[in-house]
Amino acid sequence: MNCKINRNAAKVLKEWLESDGVEGKMVRVFVTEMHGNHAHYDIMLDEPTEHDEIVKTDKGIDVLLDSREEFLDGVWVQYFYVPEEGFAISNSSKGHPPHHHH
């Protein structure tokens, strides 16, 4: 499985991972909703489960992806400050537009 994150997302995620009370947790990207041929995504800190694949990114952040969910392979996590601050998670390999998470 593959996952990319942009520089802004890496900065925000590193801050999350350095927060108090998150020892042993990792970044998880997951599908929140399915609509036929596309999915909506979200992101949180979580612990690995038996079906997770730990995907290493080029920004030094490891991401948990459920290996049973095909829509997660190729996901791209971005963070924008304008026009509105928040994450945008998309999967262009599945032809999906970005799903914004604030």
Side-chain angles (χ1 to χ4, degrees), residues 14-82:
K14 283 179 184 176
E15 290 171 3
W16 281 12
L17 291 166
E18 292 169 358
S19 301
D20 288 335
V22 298
E23 293 83 24
K25 300 229 175 175
M26 299 176 70
V27 174
R28 174 183 298 283
V29 176
F30 60 100
V31 173
T32 59
E33 267 185 83
M34 298 289 292
H35 296 287
N37 67 346
H38 74 278
H40 292 258
Y41 303 94
D42 207 343
I43 192 166
M44 68 180 191
L45 296 182
D46 199 8
E47 295 179 4
T49 65
E50 66 177 293
H51 297 289
D52 289 333
E53 184 172 330
I54 299 172
V55 179
K56 303 213 178 280
T57 68
D58 65 346
K59 302 293 188 287
I61 304 277
D62 293 342
V63 177
L64 297 173
L65 299 176
D66 187 328
S67 61
R68 301 168 296 176
E69 181 52 72
E70 68 173 296
F71 283 94
L72 291 173
D73 189 22
V75 75
W76 187 21
V77 179
Q78 300 173 83
Y79 193 88
F80 296 103
Y81 292 98
V82 291

